[in-house]
Each structure stands twice: as C-alpha cells, then as structure tokens.
Amino acid sequence: RHRQPIIAIDGPAGAGKSTVTRKIAQALGLLYLDTGAMYRAVTWLVLQSGIAIDDEPAIAEIVSQCQIELIPDGEQPRTVINGEDVTEAIRSLEVTANVSAIASQWAVRQALVKQQQAFGRQGGIVAEGRDIGTTVFPDAELKIFLTASVQERAKRRLLELHTKGKIEVTQEQLEQDIAQRDQLDSNRAISPLRKASDAVEIQTDNLTIDDVIQRVVGLYSREQGTA
Ligand code: CDP
Ligand code: CDP
C-alpha cells in the first residue's frame, strides 16, 4: 500500500456521522475530513454574496476562486472560507435549507471533490459525507454507511438544539427538513447519497454513539489485521 488507510463514513443527516467520525479520528489518530462543512461553507458564501442559488455559472465562478480551510482545533475543527471563520455560521437554518440545492451542482461537486481527494492523498484520514465511499475515496480500506429512521434523526437534532438553548423549531419541522434533504441528496444526478456496494451498513436507531464507535473500530482493526 502506498498510502495510509482511509475510512469512509456516509449516510443521511442526523445518522451520527459527525459525532462518530470525530471520535474515531481521535481514537485512531487519523485526520478528520468533514465534507459537509465544505458544502455548507460554499453555501454560506453564495448567500453572503447575494447570488441566486440557481445561478450555476456565477456559483461555479465563486467556487473556482474560493479557498476553504479545515483547521484542526480540539474536538471541533474550524471551517474557514476566504479567510473568514464560518464554523458557527454554516450551521444556520438558512444555510441548512439551501445546502442541498447548491451541493447538487456539477461545478460545485467537481471543485470540492478535487480538494477532498487532495486532502486524502497521503491517507490516514476518516472522511464523512454522502459520496465518500462511492466517489471521493472509492478505494477506502473501510466503508461505513450509517442510517436511522427520519423520526429518530429528527429527535436527535431536536435534543441537540434544546441543549444549545435553541427551541424555535418543532420535531415536525425537523422531520420535514430531514426528509426533504434525504430526497434531494438521494435523487440528484451527480453522486447521489447511496451506500457503496462494499460498505457495511449500520442501522443506529437503537445504538448509542459508543456502540457505533465500537463497531467501527472493531471492523477497522480486523481490516488492518488482514491487510
Ligand atoms: O450534518 P448534516 O448531516 O446535517 O449535514 P452535512 O453532513 O453537514 O451536509 C450538509 C449537506 O451537504 C447535505 O445535506 C448534502 O446536500 C451536502 N453534502 C453532499 O452533497 N456531499 C457530501 N459529501 C457532504 C455533504
Ligand atoms: O453528522 P450527522 O448529521 O450524520 O449526525 P450528528 O450530527 O453526528 O448526530 C446527530 C445527533 O445525534 C448528535 O447530537 C448525536 O449526539 C446524536 N446521536 C445519537 O444520539 N445516537 C447515535 N447513535 C448517534 C448520534
């Protein structure tokens, strides 16, 4: 093998990708690549610039010129675009509502996948997103596909928002948002959300985060042992 191993973690919103990926990166000493943060950062930039979200040529132009940095910083890496720290701003409802539309555009995916592959050239990373196992790192040593029901995922988000003191949304609204993003992400033409044929699917409705981490670390150890 001419590079360090790669773990790919895909799945829909709220399946537990970020939480699990962050902890696995720490436990195994791998770099954490949050590709969703990159699509969110571009979406933030587009909204900020006042460009219409369906103005594909203008967005292609912006994306080809922007610089995204993912800076390790303890548990939660910082996301910086064109020198501006947008770590918190990219989690807004407005960004969340528009990110799938922008992530479906060819020029956006082409530019970001290229940057993700450059980030992973040496390996030694655990990357999470929607198309990591299918498109970004199709030769990853371990591919995981995390799932959970829409209800369970909305419940998790609601709990998260309550913990942060944000209570302006209901479980129903969250279910709608999640179902709509599932729909857009799964049905777009370019690298839709899909389980790679060689990915291990983990249904997490009745699993804790630690259960999931144990499963993934176990699979990884086995893979390393047989490599
Ligand atoms: O954290 P959450 O699951 O809500 O979303 P995320 O992982 O931050 O991703 C936000 C959006 O970016 C997704 O709904 C997708 O539309 C898009 N995305 C994508 O298209 N491909 C990826 N590899 C990662 C995210
Ligand atoms: O990144 P993604 O959107 O897939 O999900 P996340 O942001 O990592 O997880 C959403 C929420 O679900 C977090 O607050 C996790 O603590 C929680 N979670 C859980 O309660 N049980 C799991 N098995 C996985 C995640």
Side-chain angles (χ1 to χ4, degrees), residues 101-128:
I102 285 174
S104 71
Q105 296 176 17
W106 183 83
V108 173
R109 300 208 74 82
Q110 156 134 326
L112 294 192
V113 167
K114 207 167 132 198
Q115 289 186 29
Q116 292 154 14
Q117 289 172 336
F119 187 93
R121 195 147 291 141
Q122 319 276 326
I125 70 167
V126 45
E128 57 127 325

Side-chain angles (χ1 to χ4, degrees), residues 9-24 32 34 36 126-130 144-147 153 156-157 181 193:
I9 302 196
D10 290 301
K17 299 181 302 296
S18 312
T19 314
V20 165
T21 304
R22 200 157 45 227
K23 296 195 172 176
I24 285 173
Y32 168 38
D34 179 356
V126 45
E128 57 127 325
R130 302 292 187 285
I144 303 291
F145 195 78
L146 294 181
T147 63
R153 291 185 279 134
R156 291 175 184 174
R157 277 279 187 270
R181 271 204 290 150
L193 167 65

Side-chain angles (χ1 to χ4, degrees), residues 13-14 17 35-36 39-40 91 99-100 103 109 129-131 157 181 185 188:
K17 299 181 302 296
T35 63
Y39 290 97
R40 285 173 179 274
R91 304 290 153 191
V99 61
S100 291
R109 300 208 74 82
R130 302 292 187 285
D131 59 340
R157 277 279 187 270
R181 271 204 290 150
D185 293 343
R188 67 175 173 234

Side-chain angles (χ1 to χ4, degrees), residues 151-167 169-171 174 178 209:
Q151 289 75 13
E152 172 64 23
R153 291 185 279 134
K155 215 165 80 188
R156 291 175 184 174
R157 277 279 187 270
L158 192 67
L159 192 69
E160 211 173 62
L161 291 170
H162 276 213
T163 311
K164 288 181 186 158
K166 296 181 196 160
I167 45 165
V169 283
T170 63
Q171 163 101 14
L174 288 168
I178 283 176
I209 292 159

Side-chain angles (χ1 to χ4, degrees), residues 22-196:
R22 200 157 45 227
K23 296 195 172 176
I24 285 173
Q26 271 184 340
L28 299 176
L30 302 170
L31 286 173
Y32 168 38
L33 175 59
D34 179 356
T35 63
M38 298 172 75
Y39 290 97
R40 285 173 179 274
V42 166
T43 303
W44 177 88
L45 192 65
V46 168
L47 294 170
Q48 184 79 358
S49 322
I51 294 170
I53 61 159
D54 59 353
D55 188 346
E56 294 200 21
I59 293 172
E61 177 83 16
I62 260 199
V63 170
S64 69
Q65 288 169 7
C66 78
Q67 183 168 3
I68 303 173
E69 298 161 86
L70 301 175
I71 303 167
D73 183 22
E75 271 251 311
Q76 177 66 61
R78 315 291 308 169
T79 305
V80 174
I81 187 160
N82 294 344
E84 186 152 355
D85 188 324
V86 293
T87 312
E88 277 82 36
I90 60 172
R91 304 290 153 191
S92 73
L93 290 175
E94 201 195 0
V95 169
T96 302
N98 289 290
V99 61
S100 291
I102 285 174
S104 71
Q105 296 176 17
W106 183 83
V108 173
R109 300 208 74 82
Q110 156 134 326
L112 294 192
V113 167
K114 207 167 132 198
Q115 289 186 29
Q116 292 154 14
Q117 289 172 336
F119 187 93
R121 195 147 291 141
Q122 319 276 326
I125 70 167
V126 45
E128 57 127 325
R130 302 292 187 285
D131 59 340
I132 309 299
T134 53
T135 303
V136 183
F137 300 120
D139 61 349
E141 280 69 18
L142 177 62
K143 300 181 187 178
I144 303 291
F145 195 78
L146 294 181
T147 63
S149 66
V150 171
Q151 289 75 13
E152 172 64 23
R153 291 185 279 134
K155 215 165 80 188
R156 291 175 184 174
R157 277 279 187 270
L158 192 67
L159 192 69
E160 211 173 62
L161 291 170
H162 276 213
T163 311
K164 288 181 186 158
K166 296 181 196 160
I167 45 165
E168 69 273 25
V169 283
T170 63
Q171 163 101 14
E172 220 165 42
Q173 283 173 308
L174 288 168
E175 282 181 18
Q176 261 176 31
D177 162 70
I178 283 176
Q180 193 197 356
R181 271 204 290 150
D182 283 0
Q183 176 77 8
L184 289 170
D185 293 343
S186 307
N187 292 307
R188 67 175 173 234
I190 317 153
S191 37
L193 167 65
R194 198 152 293 165
K195 177 184 162 301

